């Protein structure tokens, strides 16, 4: 699930590799990226059924390839089974913390909230990465 400004924009693609978790919306206009490279040890130590709040290095929202750094209100990783994980991120009051990384210093819309939840299964990994096209 990917909900931007209280509108479900869907998910067309989920990618996970040793560096990043990337989620692309159905229109291909928005991409949410989390830098997870530094947190694999924490993720690997989560026990089945356990939910752990993890602060990742960077959370990036992109609109048409123009990026901005945002900071979550709530984020956690939950181990569902030995092989499956749930990543959850919730952002509120984005305009108060957003740092645009484009020349316009703005998106076409003002992102006020974002909620992303994805389930991944390690068994689906090929060559160290997982790609789901939905």
């Amino acid at each position: 699930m990917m909900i931007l400004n209280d509108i479900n924009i869907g998910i067309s693609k989920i990618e996970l590799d040793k560096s990043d978790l990337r989620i692309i919306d159905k229109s291909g206009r928005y991409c949410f990226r989390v830098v997870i490279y530094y947190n694999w040890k924490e993720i690997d130590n989560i026990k089945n059924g356990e939910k752990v709040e993890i602060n990742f290095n960077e959370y990036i929202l992109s609109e048409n390839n123009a990026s901005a750094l945002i900071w979550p209100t709530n984020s956690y990783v939950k181990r569902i089974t030995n092989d499956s994980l749930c990543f959850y991120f919730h952002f509120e009051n984005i305009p108060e913390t957003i740092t645009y990384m484009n020349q316009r210093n703005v998106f076409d819309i003002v992102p006020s909230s974002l909620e992303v939840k994805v389930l991944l299964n390690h068994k689906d990994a090929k060559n160290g990465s997982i790609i789901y096209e939905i």
Side-chain angles (χ1 to χ4, degrees):
M1 121 183 132
M2 188 168 181
I3 299 171
L4 179 63
N5 292 352
D6 299 321
I7 298 170
N8 186 352
I9 59 174
I11 295 174
S12 66
K13 190 174 189 178
I14 301 168
E15 299 177 31
L16 174 69
D17 58 33
K18 67 179 181 176
S19 299
D20 299 314
L21 170 63
R22 290 172 298 283
I23 299 121
I24 300 169
D25 80 308
K26 288 249 185 232
S27 71
R29 183 177 184 179
Y30 295 98
C31 177
F32 173 65
R33 181 176 151 234
V34 181
V35 177
I36 61 172
Y37 181 78
Y38 304 102
N39 300 89
W40 273 115
K41 189 173 182 178
E42 288 175 89
I43 294 168
D44 288 340
N45 288 330
I46 299 172
K47 295 175 179 51
N48 283 351
E50 184 179 24
K51 178 171 74 171
V52 176
E53 291 184 27
I54 297 178
N55 289 320
F56 292 96
N57 193 40
E58 289 182 355
Y59 305 84
I60 303 162
L61 178 64
S62 299
E63 178 190 68
N64 297 321
N65 294 320
S67 299
L69 294 170
I70 57 178
W71 193 253
T73 307
N74 184 13
S75 70
Y76 66 79
V77 179
K78 181 175 183 179
R79 183 166 303 277
I80 308 300
T81 66
N82 285 340
D83 297 317
S84 60
L85 295 168
C86 172
F87 287 85
Y88 176 81
F89 308 96
H90 184 230
F91 301 80
E92 293 178 0
N93 303 317
I94 293 174
E96 294 175 16
T97 62
I98 195 166
T99 303
Y100 291 98
M101 298 184 294
N102 62 37
Q103 287 183 331
R104 290 183 354 186
N105 209 29
V106 68
F107 283 166
D108 292 340
I109 65 156
V110 176
S112 60
S113 65
L114 176 67
E115 185 175 10
V116 178
K117 183 177 184 179
V118 294
L119 302 174
L120 301 164
N121 190 323
H122 284 286
K123 287 184 179 180
D124 296 333
K126 291 186 178 26
N127 298 322
S129 67
I130 298 170
I131 298 176
Y132 296 121
E133 296 196 46
I134 304 166

